[in-house]
Amino acid sequence: GEARGALLLTLARGGMVIEEYAPASVKSAVAGHGRADKVEVARMVRLQLGLAARPMGPDQCDALAVALCAAVQRPWKERLAGSTAGVLR
């Protein structure tokens, strides 16, 4: 609640770009569908990043899954921003 809001405000004031992804968006980007369970997401993270099948904590897996989601979505966001730049002026 309040701590999260204070952190987001501080980051925004510092010029940091803040992006948030819904859990279904992360699952869809990593596993191909938004209803994937934790085991499936972990398996796909390992496959996509070429990681060994050694144990990975849930927070580590979540962080890597969000990073993969951002990597997948960034090109689309940049394309959309570029294609609408002339329209918004």
Side-chain angles (χ1 to χ4, degrees):
E2 292 178 23
R4 181 178 181 277
L7 176 63
L8 291 175
L9 177 62
T10 301
L11 293 173
R13 284 184 176 167
M16 298 290 295
V17 175
I18 301 163
E19 296 187 25
E20 295 182 69
Y21 301 100
S25 295
V26 175
K27 293 174 183 180
S28 180
V30 174
H33 62 94
R35 302 186 87 173
D37 62 17
K38 290 258 186 200
V39 173
E40 186 175 0
V41 170
R43 185 174 66 81
M44 293 306 293
V45 164
R46 282 191 178 94
L47 282 172
Q48 291 181 38
L49 297 177
L51 300 175
R54 65 178 206 231
M56 180 187 319
D59 292 338
Q60 293 167 319
C61 183
D62 288 349
L64 292 173
V66 170
L68 286 169
C69 179
V72 167
Q73 290 192 8
R74 176 156 289 135
W76 288 105
K77 288 181 180 182
E78 289 173 356
R79 285 187 201 136
L80 289 173
S83 67
T84 60
V87 176
L88 298 176
R89 289 184 194 160

